[in-house]
Amino acid sequence: MRALFLAAGAVLVFAAQQSELPVYTDITKESGITFKHSYGDHHLDNIVEGTGAGVCIFDYDNDGLLDIYFVTGAWTKGVSDNEGRDLRGKLSNRLYKNLGNNRFVDVTEKAGVGGKGIFSSGCSAADYDNDGFVDLYVLNYSENILYHNNGDGTFTDVTAKSGLGDKHWSLSAVSLDYNNDGWLDVYVCNYLEYDEGKFGDFYAADGYPGPLAYNGQPDVLYRNNGDGTFTDVTKKAGLWQPDGRGMSASAADFNNDGFLDIWVANDAMETHYFENTGKGTFVEKALQMNVAYGENGQGVSSMGPFSGDVNRDGLLDVFVPNLNYCILFINTGKKGFMDRTAQAGLSQVMGQYAGWAGILLDYDNDGWLDIFTTHGDAHHEYVQEDTLMRNKGDGTFEDVSRRSGQYFFEKYVGRGAAWGDLDNDGDIDLVIININDYPRILRNDGGNRNHWLTIEPVLKFPTGSRLAIGARVTVTSGSLKQIEDVNPVRGFLSQGDGRVHFGLAKEDCADVEIRWPDGTVQQFPKLKANQFVKYLHETKAAVAKANGAKQ
């Protein structure tokens, strides 16, 4: 009887512990999202099909609600088998408008962003002409597409005029104002040169040749000319790497000097780390910063880099999934980065998976960044479960996947993923892309039991306002100081919420500091918790231009 009583007590304690953590609820069916990804064929048999797709979360109509853009493959000559020809003309990318209350409606046809018949891999969104409406850039196996947001719910294909129709196989594109002239430039991450299936010397067990069977392709930095056009300045900026095999790229201020550096995760070769000199050029320092190779000195199959201050020391760290497991790079400052994957308790969990999209997010709003990762076999449609690792605040993580909802008991062939507060309730939801399958929309239930604060820094121009990409937001609550750089392109092939979100635990207010891209620093003390706050800032260049016009 006593043993039974103790067992019952243990169950109650475990149930109490379970209820303290948020759970993710799969709301895909009730959301109204019916999109299904396809690689444009009926059988997965090459690297183009197997690389998968990303997703872009952005507010295309400025109504304060995050909309979702999905990309898909398509039957493509030289990539797809003849047996898949019945899919020709039937596949397209889809844009879903957020109606609120976790409901979405397909507005692709009205918006004009379907891209039917084009094999798309990634997508990102940024206001390239500073008119106040976010434009959409789609990364394809063929020529990329730039859609200009007309501000009335429709888009216009302006690729030819813009010069952004990169004809490499592009996977990722990150916007940044690398020369601080007020216009967002674009770094395009290109993968490899596929040979249309001509390469046949491979092991049958692998299914198809891997990345080393093909030549790499150079990434490209496009400078925004401020007139709707872009110029390739890759070599001039010191970024030329002819054999990159880039999977995804992200930009952040890793050395706290006020300029965005570029981190490129490459496949089956070394990582590239480009440090911004602040003079319109970059210097490649991956080896010097200890991030070029894996823990044993090998090139790894890195996927999407995701930056965030994991240990809350004021320096941005980086989490990178790969096909072996993952790497957690802890930023030590001038001495570079340290691989702390094993010490953090991640190796033991991740070693059994093939990782793709990793996301650093404070899912329980306790002030510490947790890690969500998608998994799936690279060469076959072999399913794996995704993982959620909770940051314990002491340099280690615990696996809370099986305590975080039914979704984590299910298995998919995961690829891209994005984060964002889709229902504006103060906790971070997830959108997950699975190969040849429906996406999954995961609503965070319970994360807002702790306090939170979401900041949206916006730059004001004479023509309109846009997200202040490159701004540094610092939030201090109690004894905890948190930093985030504003740049929503992070992770694998995808883009998340441009607003920066901070968990405050039990603190009911916080001090906020914003370092704007032009170097101006503003303080906002004692902000009340549990609110969205938007700050507008006129750049020094915009003010000078306005004053000049008055004179």
Side-chain angles (χ1 to χ4, degrees):
M1 192 71 176
R2 174 178 168 79
L4 181 61
F5 176 77
L6 290 174
V11 170
L12 289 174
V13 170
F14 177 74
Q17 292 174 340
Q18 292 273 81
S19 65
E20 292 174 0
L21 295 179
V23 297
Y24 276 103
T25 303
D26 187 341
I27 60 167
T28 311
K29 290 182 179 179
E30 54 264 45
S31 72
I33 291 174
T34 58
F35 166 82
K36 183 179 181 181
H37 174 265
S38 171
Y39 44 73
D41 208 342
H42 298 304
H43 178 68
L44 182 64
D45 58 10
N46 63 63
I47 198 167
V48 180
E49 297 174 349
T51 298
V55 58
C56 181
I57 293 177
F58 70 117
D59 183 5
Y60 84 97
D61 53 359
N62 289 349
D63 65 352
L65 297 169
L66 296 173
D67 312 297
I68 307 176
Y69 186 74
F70 296 99
V71 298
T72 187
W75 191 91
T76 303
K77 185 178 180 181
V79 174
S80 312
D81 288 338
N82 287 335
E83 67 179 15
R85 285 181 296 179
D86 61 312
L87 296 174
R88 286 185 296 184
K90 296 181 180 179
L91 303 172
S92 70
N93 304 330
R94 311 306 294 178
L95 174 63
Y96 282 86
K97 173 179 169 56
N98 191 336
L99 301 175
N101 297 316
N102 295 305
R103 294 287 299 173
F104 294 81
V105 61
D106 190 333
V107 295
T108 310
E109 306 309 326
K110 177 184 177 182
V113 292
K116 182 174 289 188
I118 297 174
F119 199 114
S120 299
S121 299
C123 47
S124 61
D127 183 3
Y128 76 90
D129 56 355
N130 295 342
D131 67 350
F133 296 94
V134 183
D135 310 295
L136 180 62
Y137 192 39
V138 184
L139 296 312
N140 303 314
Y141 175 72
S142 55
E143 185 179 50
N144 298 336
I145 300 175
L146 177 64
Y147 292 107
H148 176 261
N149 191 330
N150 300 319
D152 59 1
T154 68
F155 292 77
T156 300
D157 184 341
V158 295
T159 309
K161 175 187 175 182
S162 70
L164 285 181
D166 196 309
K167 294 184 179 180
H168 297 96
W169 177 16
S170 303
L171 298 185
S172 168
V174 56
S175 293
L176 71 158
D177 184 3
Y178 83 99
N179 53 2
N180 282 347
D181 64 354
W183 300 96
L184 289 175
D185 314 294
V186 184
Y187 183 92
V188 177
C189 189
N190 295 316
Y191 191 22
L192 51 78
E193 185 179 349
Y194 183 61
D195 65 357
E196 299 188 350
K198 296 175 183 176
F199 185 88
D201 185 16
F202 62 94
Y203 295 104
D206 285 340
Y208 55 78
L212 292 179
Y214 309 103
N215 293 325
Q217 293 184 326
D219 296 346
V220 182
L221 175 65
Y222 292 97
R223 185 190 66 218
N224 191 332
N225 299 319
D227 60 0
T229 67
F230 292 78
T231 299
D232 181 348
V233 294
T234 313
K235 292 182 179 179
K236 182 178 179 180
L239 293 165
W240 178 250
Q241 298 284 340
D243 300 306
R245 294 194 189 89
M247 294 297 280
S248 285
S250 191
D253 181 9
F254 294 109
N255 58 356
N256 290 351
D257 66 352
F259 300 99
L260 294 185
D261 312 301
I262 301 174
W263 185 300
V264 184
N266 293 307
D267 195 4
M269 60 176 287
E270 72 272 17
T271 291
H272 288 144
Y273 174 89
F274 299 106
E275 188 171 280
N276 192 331
T277 66
K279 301 177 182 178
T281 59
F282 294 81
V283 178
E284 209 290 310
K285 290 188 174 182
L287 196 60
Q288 180 179 333
M289 299 299 287
N290 303 317
V291 300
Y293 300 100
E295 61 182 349
N296 296 316
Q298 79 277 27
V300 295
S301 298
S302 299
M303 299 306 173
F306 204 107
S307 60
D309 185 5
V310 171
N311 55 359
R312 298 307 188 200
D313 65 349
L315 295 167
L316 290 176
D317 314 301
V318 181
F319 177 73
V320 187
N322 61 58
L323 292 188
N324 296 321
Y325 57 101
C326 63
I327 300 179
L328 177 62
F329 289 105
I330 295 297
N331 192 341
T332 66
K334 292 183 179 180
K335 294 183 179 180
F337 292 78
M338 295 179 60
D339 181 345
R340 305 297 291 176
T341 315
Q343 294 84 346
L346 297 174
S347 298
Q348 300 87 327
V349 178
M350 300 297 186
Q352 60 189 307
Y353 301 115
W356 295 85
I359 295 175
L360 295 176
L361 75 165
D362 186 0
Y363 90 107
D364 55 356
N365 284 338
D366 67 349
W368 297 88
L369 292 176
D370 314 297
I371 303 176
F372 170 83
T373 313
T374 65
H375 303 110
D377 191 85
H379 292 170
H380 308 277
E381 292 183 62
Y382 296 162
V383 296
Q384 296 179 353
E385 62 266 36
D386 294 341
T387 54
L388 181 61
M389 303 293 293
R390 181 175 180 271
N391 192 333
K392 297 167 67 176
D394 60 359
T396 67
F397 292 78
E398 61 174 329
D399 185 356
V400 295
S401 308
R402 295 301 179 97
R403 299 163 58 187
S404 301
Q406 177 59 36
Y407 173 81
F408 292 94
F409 289 83
E410 302 166 1
K411 298 183 179 184
Y412 301 94
V413 188
R415 289 300 187 263
W419 75 101
D421 192 349
L422 297 176
D423 48 9
N424 285 343
D425 68 345
D427 48 30
I428 302 301
D429 312 300
L430 294 168
V431 181
I432 301 158
I433 300 301
N434 300 306
I435 264 197
N436 206 31
D437 200 350
Y438 295 98
R440 289 296 180 270
I441 313 300
L442 299 186
R443 183 186 66 211
N444 187 325
D445 291 330
N448 54 13
R449 285 194 291 262
N450 276 328
H451 294 313
W452 54 275
L453 191 61
T454 299
I455 308 296
E456 184 178 5
V458 174
L459 293 178
K460 184 179 179 181
F461 297 91
T463 51
S465 301
R466 66 161 171 83
L467 184 69
I469 289 176
R472 164 69 61 87
V473 181
T474 303
V475 169
T476 304
S477 55
S479 60
L480 192 64
K481 179 179 286 189
Q482 308 176 51
I483 64 169
E484 280 285 357
D485 281 359
V486 179
N487 201 327
V489 176
R490 283 180 273 181
F492 184 61
L493 311 182
S494 302
Q495 171 170 322
D497 197 340
R499 305 169 297 184
V500 285
H501 179 91
F502 299 89
L504 304 181
K506 302 306 178 183
E507 301 291 335
D508 58 7
C509 68
D511 297 327
V512 175
E513 176 185 283
I514 300 178
R515 185 193 67 196
W516 297 94
D518 65 3
T520 302
V521 176
Q522 288 183 295
Q523 310 280 348
F524 306 94
K526 298 192 180 304
L527 263 67
K528 290 184 178 180
N530 305 331
Q531 62 172 323
F532 293 86
V533 184
K534 180 184 291 188
Y535 291 108
L536 272 72
H537 173 69
E538 279 193 310
T539 65
K540 292 177 181 178
V543 171
K545 185 176 181 180
N547 290 336
K550 291 177 182 179
Q551 296 174 359

